[in-house]
Amino acid sequence: MSMTITENTRVRERRGAVPFFCPYHLGFKPGRRMNERRSGAVRWNAAYVDRYANHIMFCVIAILLFSVGDAIFTLKILAQGGEELNWFMAILIDQSINKFVAVKMALTALALIMLVIHHNVRIVYTIRVRHVKYAILVGYSVLIGYELYLLNLAGSL
């Protein structure tokens, strides 16, 4: 009886590293687990977790930074003779600039906390709350671009 010794050539970790931007994170590619426990009678229920992915926190921090930029650019536009169209924020600006910034940041932060907690909840059949967060991020970036355009027209950049 002859024995041959073979070397173990199997790869222990077959999964590759998850890239920074992945279509699975945005919900464009649902993956293999779509038809398992997440479908059927519990399809509309949310799956709550206690640890969130890095891309969710990146989106939240970007929205908060855009909100700070929006407040700064709004005050610059008002100093150039612009007008605040949001009546609630106009009242706060008239009372105090510090109150305006504090309320604006608090409302943005509280809304983002609720959106992060419920990021897996489906609003309609294919749209989830996380898609709303990304839409808010795009909306804020467009708003910042528009405010920079207005400041450029006023010549204060």
Side-chain angles (χ1 to χ4, degrees), residues 96-112:
S96 168
I97 292 176
N98 292 337
K99 187 183 283 189
F100 160 72
V101 173
V103 170
K104 179 174 179 51
M105 294 311 301
L107 288 175
T108 304
L110 288 173
L112 284 173

Side-chain angles (χ1 to χ4, degrees), residues 61-86:
I61 291 170
I63 291 172
L64 284 174
L65 290 176
F66 279 148
S67 181
V68 169
D70 177 37
I72 292 169
F73 293 146
T74 298
L75 293 174
K76 282 188 175 187
I77 290 170
L78 291 175
Q80 295 291 326
E83 182 180 337
E84 176 64 50
L85 298 178
N86 184 347

Side-chain angles (χ1 to χ4, degrees), residues 25-92:
H25 294 158
L26 298 175
F28 297 137
K29 294 175 119 182
R32 293 183 300 176
R33 298 176 69 182
M34 189 65 175
N35 293 325
E36 287 183 11
R37 59 190 159 101
R38 295 182 182 165
S39 64
V42 295
R43 182 177 69 199
W44 296 99
N45 293 346
Y48 293 97
V49 296
D50 58 350
R51 184 175 170 162
Y52 301 100
N54 291 337
H55 62 91
I56 294 172
M57 293 301 118
F58 173 75
C59 181
V60 167
I61 291 170
I63 291 172
L64 284 174
L65 290 176
F66 279 148
S67 181
V68 169
D70 177 37
I72 292 169
F73 293 146
T74 298
L75 293 174
K76 282 188 175 187
I77 290 170
L78 291 175
Q80 295 291 326
E83 182 180 337
E84 176 64 50
L85 298 178
N86 184 347
W87 62 271
F88 180 68
M89 290 297 166
I91 292 171
L92 290 175

